[in-house]
Amino acid sequence: MRKITYKEALREALKEEMRRDPTVFLLGEDIGRYWGGAFKVTEGLAEEFGDERVRDTPISENAIIGTAVGAAITGMRPVAEIMFGDLTALAMDQIANQAAKIRYMFGGQINCPLVIRTPFGAGVNIASHHSQSLEAWFMHVPGLYVAAPSTPYDAKGLLKSAIRGNNPVFFCEHKLLYPIQGEVPEEEYTVPFGVADVKKEGADVTVVATLYMVHKALKAAEMLEAEGISVEVVDPRTLTPLDKQTIIKSIKKTGRIIIVSEDCKTAGVSAEIAAVVAEEALDYLDAPIKRVAEPDTPIPFSPPLEKYVISDEKAIIKAVKTVI
Amino acid sequence: MLNLPKDKLAEMLRKMFEIRLFEEKVFELYAQNLVPGTIHLYAGEEAVAVGVCSNLRKDDYITSTHRGHGHCIAKGADLKRTMAEILGKKTGYCKGKGGSMHIADFRIGMLGATAVVGAGIPIAVGAGLSIKLRRTNQVVACFFGEGASNQGTFHEGINMASIWKLPVIFVCENNLYAMGTRQSIVMNIENIADRAIAYCIPGVFVDGNDVLAVYEATEKAVERARKGEGPTLIECKTYRHRGHSRVDPARYRPKEEVAEWLAKDPIKRFKEKLIHTKALSETEIQHIEKEVSVEIEEAVKFAIESPFPEPEEALEDVYA
């Protein structure tokens, strides 16, 4: 099968959906023909679809999302890009109070089919305002779906599902994933929400990992295999809805679980998954739940500092060994 | 000034009565402990909602605020379902999930009331963008208070509507107080309409207690919007008859000021003008008022007799 990057996979999803459905349009800062998006995801799309449908906006995050909400409830399917995940804080009212609640608050009269794409994550030395992982903020908002694809295949399939669905979707990307290559079929496909993917099968321990951490978990698994420890890597792919069953099924097989995510540990993605496991699958566990998450600090700038706060393969291996 | 057809004038007066009598009834029901939560009454500001909405078609959009009953009624919302929503009943527009501050009726283009001050502004801009992309000639009227003009959403939203020439009419209802805070304490400008200069769009202020003045200003703005010439900011100077919300006796307002504004009551003024110009007779006006009060009684009866939602319905409508 052909291999393309995560970035190309996202671009293909946007392109195909825009060709398929004239109500799909994109808006965001610098996404148009002069820049193609800060991470070049939308490069070339303005040339094909025009400046109306690939719309450069002012630097007004709250209004970008608010505008998307207004368009979504009047018959369009906007895909808004927020240049860096940290900047979603500026749009929090429109995301959490408006987009997420508009269907519920008005008694189901209307759907709000919009997608908010944004990159999270550290690893490129751009410090505290451009590096956080805030997925958990959005998991805490009823009414939003939260997607977190780790591979080009999942990125394309989930983005297409997000655009076609009738709910607001918070679509998390990770800066370090954009250049990663993976197999993506030429033919049409979608990836459904709420279905986790077992990225690697194993027998001794389950590692649930999200976004870029999936790749670190897979590398750690490879290294552990060499030592005779068989690791199963489960990628939830969407955090809301969360596929609990696939996680529990894996625990039934392995009896052990490590949860790996890049956000800070307190009340984070790993906390939620750990709580689900504790509530619904404690009896299958032969060892305590172990989390690999980040310390409760903002992301620092200097390379050794940043490296210190972001977990690597070694941290995952260490965690696995404490439960084996 | 009164060159509107008689039917149109009568309809405008009827809508103003509907809002006033509705609000008085809501206040009564609240006193009888039938209204859960809080209420923000629109009484006194009727000329704004009616003056604006009388220019709109059914397929045009409006966005509303936490003081939204008047906007809903002016856009044509059903009185029964509006009242039922305020009482938290299953038959309300939002099945009891929205209440007084969150009423919507998407079938008449009422895109919903938001209780976050200023949050409806970018949503209206988005509806305007959608109109432009879909190439229909609808317009959006976006209601907000003068307090909202200090929110980032006001500046972000108007800027976007201006650069993209969107068919949005920004209607600032300046009732002089943001809760209990006088405009002069939080702004160094007198006219919110002056803020339009910064965005290179027309900014006009009108007597918001004169329904015909509001009508005329809106008519121009709507014409401009439908022609693709972009947005207008209309500031309507008005006054609420009661406090900000149910707990507010509005002691921060000088007695003389209140008396002065009550003398400028928009319904009283419109009635006088209609009689003076012989557009409608006193008897005709009384007839309209009587008909409206019957409708309001029916709405109250419907709302009171309607059942509350089943508790488990709280879990419905989160996702499509």
Side-chain angles (χ1 to χ4, degrees), chain B residues 79-310:
Chain B
L79 296 175
K80 290 180 177 153
R81 295 191 66 194
T82 306
M83 190 64 90
E85 187 59 38
I86 292 168
L87 266 54
K89 298 301 182 77
K90 190 182 170 80
T91 52
Y93 268 113
C94 312
K95 301 188 266 184
K97 293 205 177 82
S100 165
M101 286 188 280
H102 306 292
I103 297 175
D105 181 359
F106 285 82
R107 284 168 311 178
I108 58 165
M110 163 55 199
L111 302 182
T114 174
V116 179
V117 171
I121 298 173
I123 295 176
V125 173
L129 177 58
S130 154
I131 290 168
K132 188 166 184 177
L133 292 170
R134 287 183 287 111
R135 292 178 165 68
T136 67
N137 74 340
Q138 294 159 280
V139 300
V140 191
C142 169
F143 293 98
F144 55 91
E146 88 285 353
S149 78
N150 289 330
Q151 285 278 23
T153 49
F154 170 90
H155 301 278
E156 295 183 14
I158 294 192
N159 181 53
M160 273 192 190
S162 170
I163 55 170
W164 295 338
K165 285 197 184 310
L166 302 181
V168 186
I169 296 112
F170 296 99
V171 183
C172 176
E173 303 181 304
N174 186 351
N175 63 21
L176 314 182
Y177 294 88
M179 275 183 71
T181 302
R182 279 190 79 84
Q183 184 188 331
S184 58
I185 296 171
V186 290
M187 282 182 249
N188 275 338
I189 54 165
E190 196 180 327
N191 300 318
I192 311 301
D194 291 345
R195 291 189 162 170
I197 297 165
Y199 303 102
C200 209
I201 65 167
V204 291
F205 66 90
V206 296
D207 180 345
N209 278 22
D210 179 350
V211 69
L212 296 168
V214 177
Y215 183 91
E216 279 185 4
T218 310
E219 191 178 34
K220 282 189 203 122
V222 168
E223 197 187 324
R224 185 180 141 79
R226 287 209 210 280
K227 279 201 293 200
E229 291 171 5
T232 303
L233 171 62
I234 302 172
E235 176 187 8
C236 304
K237 311 261 192 196
T238 187
Y239 206 70
R240 51 172 145 83
H241 279 185
R242 298 186 188 275
H244 166 72
S245 62
R246 68 190 282 172
V247 294
D248 175 20
R251 293 207 182 90
Y252 43 83
R253 306 197 301 195
K255 277 194 187 106
E256 307 71 40
E257 180 187 284
V258 176
E260 189 189 318
W261 278 94
L262 285 177
K264 289 193 282 189
D265 182 295
I267 295 184
K268 185 168 150 273
R269 280 172 66 185
F270 191 36
K271 275 185 352 191
E272 281 166 8
K273 191 168 275 177
L274 290 167
I275 292 165
H276 183 69
T277 58
K278 298 194 167 46
L280 288 177
S281 73
E282 198 148 7
T283 326
E284 283 172 316
I285 289 173
Q286 278 167 3
H287 182 71
I288 293 171
E289 188 170 5
K290 207 167 279 171
E291 277 182 351
V292 170
S293 64
V294 171
E295 267 180 69
I296 301 289
E297 285 307 328
E298 283 167 3
V300 170
K301 188 165 181 283
F302 172 83
I304 288 176
E305 286 174 0
S306 286
F308 279 108
E310 295 301 322

Side-chain angles (χ1 to χ4, degrees), chain A residues 285-322:
Chain A
L285 288 179
D286 300 324
I289 301 164
K290 185 88 190 158
R291 292 193 277 156
V292 177
E294 311 319 341
D296 293 336
T297 62
I299 306 298
F301 163 66
S302 178
L305 300 179
E306 187 184 56
K307 195 168 180 300
Y308 181 79
V309 299
I310 303 301
S311 303
D312 58 9
E313 292 82 352
K314 277 186 214 152
I316 300 169
I317 290 169
K318 195 175 154 201
V320 167
K321 288 186 174 169
T322 61

